[in-house]
Amino acid sequence: MAYILKTLNSWFWWENIWMPINCTWADFVDRDGLVFPKPHQLYATIPYAFVLLIIRFFSERYVAIPLAKALGIKNVRRVKPQPNPVLESYFQECSRHPSQSDIKGLAKKCNCTVHLVEKWFRRRRNLEIPTVLQKFKEAFWRFSFYLTSSIVGFIFLYDKPWFYDIWQTWVGYPFQTLLPSQYWYYMAEIGFYWSLIFTLGIDIKRKDFMAHVVHHLAAIGLMSGSWCGNYVRLGTLVIFVHDTADFWLEAAKMFNYARWEKTCNMLFIIFSIAFFITRMILLPFWILRATLYQPTYYSTTPVIAYFLFNGMLLTLQGLHLYWGYLIFKILKRFIFLK
């Protein structure tokens, strides 16, 4: 078993996968003021994820809840049904909406009335429905992170030449030094998506639940891979392009839960514009152009990572097309049906 793991590890870190021809991992040793990303640094994203979860807990409790109350959102407390192993087993394994004949059978088995069984299932189903306050707290946390990430990302990038000239992302590659700002930007982003993976079981499940799972895994894989291959300049641009639209959506959700309809509508329109500019224009025609087309000027023999990273970026773009279709449907109803 140890031999198999060692063999797989050597295959995974084969130089031809990650870096141009005539480059080895020995070339990525820090020297002469050059600092390179190191794969083992990615282990730190797991404890960073738990730090973010702690920050999330306190921000939701001491900021989101008071803000929700100020906006008029009440904390609805649902009545829990009486513990009943027979009904709970049926609810979990058979159906949450039993037929009338099943209700009568369960009433006989539990030695109670049909009305009590119906009441038990109604209360049990209500427990599964997230409250408005739960939705608000989740939207507030995402809004806080995306807004902070967007502001910090702009501060980190505005004075970098590759922020204005995409060709600069390849100048000097692969021997581009890692900046401290890039390190913290990456660690925070990967840690955030790990934290979202860890809370999938308790966060609110929506219709696009599986799309979010694919998105989070693709984002972690893409950022981790770009870190190992020192595609950090392009990676920071991808992160920035994604986060700058998302906080508008979370803000619209927060005001929607507070029933501030005009504010919600205005924020959603701003989000839609930002989404289509960043995800439908900048990402495919600016960043994907830099990852698919420009590398051919620097190497006539693409490495395997070229296909892996672009495959994940195209997967993300496919998700953006799916979400763009949903956004377009909402805008269509908003404009024509008011």
Side-chain angles (χ1 to χ4, degrees):
M1 187 65 182
Y3 175 76
I4 294 174
L5 292 174
K6 186 177 180 180
T7 303
L8 290 174
N9 184 65
S10 63
W11 287 352
F12 184 81
W13 295 113
W14 184 35
E15 282 90 349
N16 288 356
I17 294 178
W18 297 98
M19 56 192 66
I21 297 175
N22 300 324
C23 287
T24 66
W25 290 113
D27 297 323
F28 283 80
V29 177
D30 296 350
R31 65 185 186 279
D32 302 328
L34 292 175
V35 179
F36 299 105
K38 300 169 184 62
H40 68 81
Q41 292 172 320
L42 294 173
Y43 291 123
T45 58
I46 302 299
Y48 289 151
F50 286 104
V51 171
L52 287 172
L53 288 175
I54 294 171
I55 296 173
R56 174 180 179 176
F57 171 79
F58 284 103
S59 65
E60 286 183 349
R61 184 166 184 173
Y62 296 107
V63 182
I65 292 178
L67 179 60
K69 290 180 179 178
L71 293 173
I73 299 174
K74 297 180 180 179
N75 186 14
V76 178
R77 294 185 178 181
R78 295 196 171 101
V79 180
K80 292 184 178 180
Q82 293 292 327
N84 190 311
V86 175
L87 299 182
E88 183 66 30
S89 175
Y90 186 92
F91 183 88
Q92 295 288 348
E93 299 174 7
C94 299
S95 174
R96 299 182 178 186
H97 299 272
S99 63
Q100 198 63 32
S101 59
D102 290 334
I103 289 175
K104 291 179 181 178
L106 291 169
K108 289 181 180 180
K109 189 179 292 186
C110 297
N111 194 24
C112 61
T113 64
V114 170
H115 174 70
L116 287 176
V117 174
E118 291 175 339
K119 186 177 180 180
W120 188 96
F121 272 94
R122 185 168 59 252
R123 288 182 173 179
R124 185 64 180 84
R125 285 194 298 268
N126 286 340
L127 288 180
E128 300 289 308
I129 302 173
T131 64
V132 176
L133 183 60
Q134 287 176 300
K135 295 178 181 179
F136 183 89
K137 290 193 298 182
E138 186 177 317
F140 173 81
W141 166 242
R142 292 174 187 253
F143 165 79
S144 301
F145 181 85
Y146 290 136
L147 177 61
T148 304
S149 176
S150 299
I151 295 172
V152 172
F154 180 76
I155 294 171
F156 287 165
L157 289 168
Y158 85 96
D159 60 343
K160 306 299 186 296
W162 53 87
F163 188 60
Y164 307 96
D165 181 8
I166 197 71
W167 284 93
Q168 294 292 324
T169 57
W170 295 107
V171 173
Y173 181 82
F175 304 112
Q176 298 170 343
T177 190
L178 176 69
L179 304 174
S181 60
Q182 293 171 330
Y183 171 84
W184 290 111
Y185 199 26
Y186 256 76
M187 295 298 110
E189 284 287 333
I190 299 177
F192 175 72
Y193 282 105
W194 274 124
S195 71
L196 294 183
I197 293 289
F198 295 156
T199 57
L200 279 173
I202 59 175
D203 283 341
I204 298 167
K205 290 187 178 181
R206 295 183 171 84
K207 294 179 181 179
D208 57 351
F209 172 77
M210 286 308 302
H212 275 285
V213 174
V214 173
H215 176 272
H216 298 342
L217 293 175
I220 292 172
L222 188 59
M223 287 187 287
S224 300
S226 65
W227 179 266
C228 296
N230 200 16
Y231 300 103
V232 175
R233 290 183 181 180
L234 273 169
T236 52
L237 294 177
V238 173
I239 294 170
F240 181 74
V241 163
H242 277 75
D243 288 350
T244 48
D246 289 342
F247 70 86
W248 293 106
L249 175 62
E250 302 303 329
K253 289 180 183 178
M254 290 163 59
F255 284 101
N256 179 50
Y257 301 143
R259 298 187 181 278
W260 290 33
E261 292 185 7
K262 291 183 179 180
T263 306
C264 170
N265 294 340
M266 180 184 67
L267 290 171
F268 186 78
I269 290 173
I270 295 173
F271 158 72
S272 302
I273 295 171
F275 182 91
F276 283 105
I277 290 174
T278 57
R279 312 290 177 87
M280 300 300 177
I281 298 176
L282 291 180
L283 187 65
F285 298 107
W286 186 48
I287 292 177
L288 278 178
R289 179 174 174 268
T291 61
L292 287 167
Y293 169 68
Q294 292 178 1
T296 58
Y297 279 82
Y298 294 91
S299 176
T300 56
T301 308
V303 294
I304 298 175
Y306 169 86
F307 301 100
L308 294 176
F309 297 151
N310 282 298
M312 286 187 282
L313 279 172
L314 290 172
T315 299
L316 285 179
Q317 187 58 30
L319 290 172
H320 297 155
L321 292 173
Y322 166 70
W323 281 318
Y325 168 71
L326 297 181
I327 294 168
F328 178 75
K329 286 177 63 177
I330 295 173
L331 286 175
K332 186 179 177 181
R333 287 187 298 181
F334 175 75
I335 295 171
F336 294 104
L337 302 179
K338 297 185 179 179

